[in-house]
Amino acid sequence: NAGVMQNPRHLVRRRGQEARLRCSPMKGHSHVYWYRQLPEEGLKFMVYLQKENIIDESGMPKERFSAEFPKEGPSILRIQQVVRGDSAAYFCASSPTLAGGFNEQFFGPGTRLTVL
Amino acid sequence: DQQVKQNSPSLSVQEGRISILNCDYTNSMFDYFLWYKKYPAEGPTFLISISSIKDKNEDGRFTVFLNKSAKHLSLHIVPSQPGDSAVYFCAASEGNYQLIWGAGTKLIIKP
């Protein structure tokens, strides 16, 4: 019963490089959410995806950030041309198929991105 | 615009005593509230939740109280144990997938 897996756990990039963060949801979960946590703050919703569909990306910056959840393979959060302000912990969560109301989200261990 | 606020960055409690963590919110449309616990270098773990139609929910040592008129909820842990030392996040939802999070309270249980 593997939980939500994220890799890498730590990622260091120089300004201007690209960062790719991966998330494999729990078995049987078809909904994936990405959150960002800046130091001393709570988690902030970024994007909600189902297989091959972006459902809500209202929390994601319009430029340089993109997310996908392909039919096969993990969900990817991609940050192009990273800047120092992108340094944060990025958490992925998954949930089973929504059946009305709120469904508990299970979180991965996070990827800590450091931009030099 | 902080819709969910945890005003105490940290709280220190003696082992065996009661820990009370507080959370205030501003959005009256929130109808589901959750508490998550987070250890360093790990993701948040769901602890307990409460629907807005209730004012109390209990699960073992953990009880969450909701005061809708005051837009306030609290998490009670009794008795507190060393393993409870962690950061506790309050989160709220308008009945959908989006969770709005507080900044967290670091709970330290002293032996």
Side-chain angles (χ1 to χ4, degrees), chain A residues 46-106:
Chain A
M46 297 182 73
V47 62
Y48 161 39
L49 309 106
Q50 295 179 23
K51 285 282 187 183
E52 300 184 280
N53 279 307
I54 297 174
I55 308 302
D56 181 353
E57 55 183 350
S58 60
M60 201 155 65
K62 295 283 186 285
E63 297 180 354
R64 301 189 298 108
F65 285 72
S66 63
E68 63 176 9
F69 189 15
K71 189 176 180 181
E72 301 290 339
S75 175
I76 307 283
L77 179 67
R78 183 183 176 205
I79 312 172
Q80 295 178 289
Q81 299 175 319
V82 296
V83 300
R84 290 220 172 100
D86 296 332
S87 294
Y90 291 82
F91 291 96
C92 168
S94 71
S95 71
T97 301
L98 292 173
F102 181 80
N103 278 258
E104 183 188 337
Q105 296 176 17
F106 296 82

Side-chain angles (χ1 to χ4, degrees), chain B residues 95-106:
Chain B
N96 59 22
Y97 50 84
Q98 274 210 34
L99 290 176
I100 309 299
W101 296 69
T105 296
K106 183 176 184 179

Side-chain angles (χ1 to χ4, degrees), chain A residues 33 35 45 48 56 95 98 100-105, chain B residues 3-4 23-36 46 48-53 66 68 73 89-102:
Chain A
Y33 316 81
Y35 291 84
F45 168 81
Y48 161 39
D56 181 353
S95 71
L98 292 173
F102 181 80
N103 278 258
E104 183 188 337
Q105 296 176 17
Chain B
Q3 297 186 67
V4 177
C23 177
D24 297 295
Y25 62 95
T26 57
N27 186 348
S28 57
M29 298 301 290
F30 287 146
D31 61 1
Y32 203 77
F33 303 88
L34 307 93
W35 284 94
Y36 280 82
F46 171 75
I48 193 169
S49 63
I50 188 167
S51 163
S52 60
I53 61 173
L66 175 62
K68 286 190 292 294
L73 66 157
F89 290 96
C90 168
S93 167
E94 291 185 36
N96 59 22
Y97 50 84
Q98 274 210 34
L99 290 176
I100 309 299
W101 296 69

